Amino acid sequence: MGTRGRLSLRVCGVLAGTALAASAALGAAAPAARAAVTASSAFATGPSGVGAWSAAVENEATGKLLWSRGLNTERPMASITKVMTAFVVIKAGHLDRKITVPYAVIGYVRAHYASSAGLRPGDKLTARQLLYALLLPSGADAAYTLAEAYGPGLGAFIAKMNATAKRLGLTRTHFSNFDGLPYPTGYSTYSTPANLIKLGRVAMASAVFRSIVDQRSYRIAAGSGHHAYFWRNLNPLLGVYRGAIGIKPGWTPTAGHCLLFEATRGGRSFIGVNLDSPGVGATVNGADATRMLNWAFSLPSY
């Protein structure tokens, strides 16, 4: 991918506002006019304090872009990749089929220092159960297991991911793997805020996908052919930000803190993404998403 997404300077501006003109107009305006000017000024200014290199937020119902930074800049998106992995599996169907966890997942997770759902090789789990392991604890072992089964084979599955991206019109997206890990390089799997919001919108239109990503945890009791499992959702907004219903966080040293998110309140829904937000360590924070959502919900008519 060469130098795609490698920016020498952090973009720190937002959409140009007209705060000075708005301030002058407020003095003489009638109350209704003042409210209109205030709303217009807020819309033009955008959310404050967003530190992500690339980000965007849209009205989910209308698709109207409310604010963006680096909207079409290609950047690595880490485990947000697993949204496409899940989407390909869900579209293929047969979610009640039982899949044996391959022994290769242990070496794969260790080799890449990857996030894991703690799957036990030899266990037989349904594809639906593996989707929870994929999307909640962001298990690379679950991604490997699903890709191997639904390819069939890893290479064939990755080809399906890229074919699906092309079909959806995600023209600035490429997958080199099924989990967003930084190989063969940190920039080999990439997308843009515009493409990721589109992917998120399509994925959330699936009742199966939507019902999984808004769960804070998921438990499987031990049964015939498998051990017991308990997975917590790594999404930092769930249970913290009122109205949050998904979607998927991700982190690698190259991608930084990333979050594809959606929230709904009072009949209004907003969907957005932040790529390479400030943060320490691998635990993704929801600070930038919170700033964007707070701002979007504050708009009276968008």
Side-chain angles (χ1 to χ4, degrees), residues 67-87:
W67 176 87
S68 70
R69 171 185 296 160
L71 182 65
N72 295 303
T73 300
E74 296 167 357
R75 300 196 60 82
M77 67 284 201
S79 286
I80 293 177
T81 296
K82 294 176 179 123
V83 172
M84 178 61 87
T85 305
F87 182 72

Side-chain angles (χ1 to χ4, degrees), residues 256-268:
H257 287 224
C258 303
L259 183 59
L260 181 61
F261 57 87
E262 184 172 342
T264 181
R265 292 182 191 170
R268 294 198 299 166

